[in-house]
Amino acid sequence: MRYEDEVRDEASSYLGREITDAEWNEALPPAQRKLDWIISREGDLDGERRKPYYLGKLVEEHIRENAFSKWCNTMNKLNQQRRMANETVPAHA
């Protein structure tokens, strides 16, 4: 099995579901950059940080962070719409 396939399997396992191609293509590059930064700063722990599970966890974290960010943005838009709707309703005396 290829390293990237193992990483994807690990990330899917952490998420508890399959990762879509779009999620994978978006999450892998920043997760790899984060891993490179961690290794440059802290070392690779005798190769432990280069194992598929480690990058898989970083991919999973990126996907969860994106999902939460999108949810927050959606909730913010809904709250703004509600406020605007309430402002346009005339006040009753």
Side-chain angles (χ1 to χ4, degrees), residues 10-87:
E10 290 287 342
S12 292
S13 177
Y14 290 128
L15 279 171
R17 64 172 177 79
E18 291 297 314
I19 295 173
T20 68
D21 289 342
E23 288 173 322
W24 175 252
N25 292 332
E26 182 185 336
L28 183 60
Q32 184 64 60
R33 283 191 302 274
K34 185 173 184 178
L35 177 59
D36 293 343
W37 178 82
I38 291 168
I39 290 172
S40 72
R41 184 177 163 104
E42 305 293 333
D44 72 357
L45 283 177
D46 296 323
E48 195 66 25
R49 289 188 175 116
R50 296 185 190 276
K51 292 183 179 176
Y53 80 89
Y54 202 97
L55 182 55
K57 185 62 178 170
L58 296 177
V59 167
E60 176 259 346
E61 287 175 359
H62 187 85
I63 291 169
R64 285 190 192 277
E65 289 167 7
N66 276 354
F68 183 66
S69 181
K70 288 176 185 176
W71 180 83
C72 288
N73 287 335
T74 299
M75 295 307 294
N76 185 42
K77 287 177 186 175
L78 288 173
N79 286 332
Q80 287 176 350
Q81 290 170 354
R82 284 187 200 127
R83 277 189 299 245
M84 291 184 70
N86 288 336
E87 289 173 4

